[in-house]
Amino acid sequence: MPSLLKDITNEPKVWLPNSVSGDELFSLCIILQEMGILENVHIIVSALSNKSIETIKSGFLDNNKLEDKHR
């Protein structure tokens, strides 16, 4: 991804369609933060239900989803 973004002079936009819980958004933000470009990217998230949108907007992640399932 860094090579895709290195020559962009304006604010890149990323669309995450059909998000349900926000897990994808959280993962994307981690990647962009580690690349040092999170503040320069415009992220658009869409979902099929208002419940999903409210879950995503809450910013809450289930700790059980963050546990290492491969142990």
Side-chain angles (χ1 to χ4, degrees), residues 21-51:
S21 64
D23 295 350
E24 309 89 347
L25 175 60
F26 185 72
S27 298
L28 176 64
C29 288
I30 290 172
I31 292 167
L32 296 174
Q33 179 65 34
E34 289 179 354
M35 292 172 59
I37 60 171
L38 178 61
E39 293 79 18
N40 300 324
V41 176
H42 183 86
I43 302 170
I44 302 164
V45 179
S46 63
L48 296 177
S49 73
N50 287 336
K51 182 179 178 185

